[in-house]
Amino acid sequence: MSNDPTVRIRRSATGPSRRPDGSTPRIEVLDQFSLRARIGILAALVAAVAVVLVSVAAFVTVRVNILQTLDTSLLERATAAAQSAVDPRELARIPPQLLGAGDIRIALLQANGSGITSEGSKPPLGDPELAVARGDEPSSVRSADLDGESFRVVAVPAGQAQALVIAQHLEPTQEVLTKLGVALPIVGGIGVLLAAFAGVAVARAGLRPVDRLTAATERVAATGDLQPIPVDGTDELARLTRSFNDMLGGLAASQEQQRRLVADAGHELRTPLTSMRTNLELLAAASKPGAPTLPDGDRAEILEDVQAQVAELSNLVGDLVELARDDAPLVVHEPVELTDVLLRALGRARRRAGDVVFAPSLVPWTLFGDATALERAVLNLLDNAAKWSPAGGTVRVQMRQLDEWSVVIEVADSGPGINEQDLPHVFDRFYRADTSRAMPGSGLGLAIVRQVAVRHGGAVWAGRAPEGGAHLVMRLPGRAPRH
């Protein structure tokens, strides 16, 4: 195990190459660098590996080609000399300098091991050349050292039981290979540096959108400003920026929705609280010693008003709590018989609707959802219709199947109806038309209807009924039960 404190690899009980969760270990020292630096290091490492491979391949290829060229040249010259009309014995005695080849050494090797050569130009002789002289090999090529010098040695047959041996100094070839061996690492090192700088430059340009995202998140955390980020391009980072902008837009909408909810709730709570405080202060003042006594009828009327205001506040708080769950996901527990839900809601609505008549027309329908929430939504529709219907009026409640997968619940009253300019807003929170300001209610009932419908994958809309009153519709998914 390495004792180097700068590089440590996390190991798990399953071995050094895998963690228990199946992920690969990390080199902790890389965590000290920024993402740009990591990309630059990665680019340099990849370039270094490529440079090493290319350099080794180039060096080996050049060396092999140079030696093959040299061997071919020596063999051709030796063969031409051996087959020429000149006696090989005379050729071997001629100093190479006279032939214009000062780096060449020539010898005629006999099968018995004796050789003929000019003075001072004896080439390396050994078993490979002796095998050619004896006729055991057609030729030989090898590298050999003699007197501290390196030679490339070839031998070809030159008559009966003898071989012509030619050797050439390898010093020029080794100089070329040495220069190549120095040049390749230098050029490769420059390439590695350029790759590292290019990696950092590409990372800086590519991560610029990430910098903008980082600055935006820091700005949001510091100031709460949810302004979107400018987006350029269509690549993955641009898509990430658009997704982040969508998230900012959703947060801004949620923040605005919460602000409106708090402001509207405060406005709606102010009136009953003020009225309740006035009544309670009046009762408290009448209870003080020496204060005029309130008549029993007035006291009973004030207490009745206080009870009504408490009930109004309770309903308003309940509706606010229900709407505060606007973003809560729907948890589907069981199938719901929508017909049973409507029958329960109709029973409750009839008990508090006075002489208003409900005329239901129901069809069997089943969906998955929250039966309690659905019953409350339907009850809100029925209460709204009963509130606006005249005494003895009729509220039409109809379930109608649209297609195999959806049904609508229509509630139509015989009241004054909804003005055209109010139709788009009747399901908004705390919205009240000018004609409904004096009517009881919190302005949240129909907003709860829309919330429940949307949670169940449905929708709501409003219009004018043939009876002349309001026509409120809630569409829900599901299917008719099979018989």
Side-chain angles (χ1 to χ4, degrees), residues 26 38 80 88-89 102 106 116 127 183 198-199 224 229 249 258 279 296 313 320 326 341 349 381 394 414 435 450 481:
R26 298 170 54 200
R38 294 181 200 176
R89 293 182 179 85
I106 304 174
I116 303 174
D127 293 337
I229 306 170
Q258 291 177 0
N279 288 330
D296 292 339
L313 284 175
L320 287 173
D326 183 54
V341 170
L381 289 175
T394 300
S414 52
T435 57
R450 180 173 64 181

Side-chain angles (χ1 to χ4, degrees), residues 260 417-433 446-447 450 460-464 471-472:
R260 288 202 319 267
I418 305 173
N419 294 329
E420 289 293 333
Q421 63 269 23
D422 295 325
L423 285 176
H425 308 290
V426 294
F427 292 100
D428 293 346
R429 296 173 177 177
F430 298 107
Y431 182 79
R432 289 193 181 191
L446 295 183
R450 180 173 64 181
V460 292
W461 60 89
R464 182 171 290 276
H471 182 225
L472 303 180

Side-chain angles (χ1 to χ4, degrees), residues 18-353:
R18 288 283 177 183
R19 294 176 179 173
D21 59 359
S23 61
T24 55
R26 298 170 54 200
I27 300 178
E28 291 183 347
V29 69
L30 292 180
D31 294 339
Q32 303 174 9
F33 297 95
S34 65
L35 184 57
R36 290 187 184 86
R38 294 181 200 176
I39 295 176
I41 293 173
L42 179 61
L45 290 176
V46 172
V49 172
V51 164
V52 169
L53 294 177
V54 171
S55 298
V56 171
F59 183 83
V60 172
T61 302
V62 171
R63 182 178 183 277
V64 169
N65 287 336
I66 289 178
L67 291 180
Q68 285 180 346
T69 302
L70 179 61
D71 294 343
T72 301
S73 175
L74 289 176
L75 285 172
E76 290 177 351
R77 294 164 69 179
T79 301
Q83 294 176 355
S84 66
V86 180
D87 188 349
R89 293 182 179 85
E90 298 298 330
L91 183 63
R93 292 189 178 96
I94 299 175
Q97 292 80 0
L98 297 180
L99 299 176
D103 59 343
I104 293 293
R105 295 190 178 189
I106 304 174
L108 185 64
L109 180 63
Q110 304 295 328
N112 58 7
S114 61
I116 303 174
T117 182
S118 63
E119 185 177 357
S121 64
K122 179 181 178 181
L125 301 175
D127 293 337
E129 292 77 24
L130 191 59
V132 176
R134 292 173 180 172
D136 297 335
E137 297 290 341
S139 62
S140 69
V141 178
R142 68 186 181 103
S143 296
D145 294 332
L146 180 65
D147 299 333
E149 296 178 319
S150 296
F151 295 88
R152 193 67 173 172
V153 184
V154 300
V156 296
Q160 189 67 25
Q162 59 185 8
L164 182 63
V165 179
I166 297 180
Q168 183 170 349
H169 280 284
L170 286 179
E171 183 178 355
T173 302
Q174 290 175 343
E175 289 180 357
V176 172
L177 294 178
T178 300
K179 292 178 180 179
L180 181 64
V182 173
L184 285 177
I186 293 176
V187 174
I190 295 174
V192 169
L193 293 177
L194 292 177
F197 286 122
V200 172
V202 170
R204 181 179 291 109
L207 294 177
R208 192 170 292 117
V210 178
D211 291 337
R212 290 200 295 265
L213 286 177
T214 303
T217 54
E218 292 174 349
R219 185 191 71 231
V220 170
T223 66
D225 183 13
L226 299 178
Q227 293 297 321
I229 306 170
V231 183
D232 296 323
T234 58
D235 57 6
E236 291 80 359
L237 289 175
R239 289 175 54 195
L240 175 62
T241 304
R242 292 190 183 93
S243 299
F244 188 81
N245 284 340
D246 292 340
M247 183 188 70
L248 290 180
L251 287 175
S254 177
Q255 191 178 70
E256 177 63 19
Q257 191 177 47
Q258 291 177 0
R259 187 193 64 78
R260 288 202 319 267
L261 178 61
V262 171
D264 292 341
H267 176 74
E268 293 294 328
L269 288 170
R270 186 179 298 113
T271 300
L273 285 175
T274 302
S275 178
M276 185 185 301
R277 184 178 64 183
T278 301
N279 288 330
L280 291 176
E281 288 175 350
L282 182 59
L283 290 174
S287 301
K288 293 180 179 180
T293 303
L294 283 175
D296 292 339
D298 292 342
R299 179 181 294 273
E301 184 179 352
I302 291 175
L303 289 175
E304 186 179 346
D305 287 343
V306 170
Q307 290 176 350
Q309 289 153 6
V310 169
E312 183 180 354
L313 284 175
S314 299
N315 292 333
L316 180 58
V317 170
D319 291 343
L320 287 173
V321 170
E322 181 67 24
L323 286 173
R325 298 168 55 230
D326 183 54
D327 294 328
L330 172 65
V331 179
V332 177
H333 295 290
E334 58 185 359
V336 177
E337 295 294 337
L338 192 57
T339 306
D340 295 341
V341 170
L342 263 75
L343 289 175
R344 289 195 299 270
L346 282 167
R348 296 173 61 184
R350 285 190 177 105
R351 287 193 294 269
R352 55 194 189 188

Side-chain angles (χ1 to χ4, degrees), residues 431-455:
Y431 182 79
R432 289 193 181 191
D434 294 336
T435 57
S436 65
R437 299 290 180 183
M439 299 292 289
S442 63
L444 297 175
L446 295 183
I448 293 176
V449 173
R450 180 173 64 181
Q451 174 180 288
V452 172
V454 171
R455 284 186 187 173

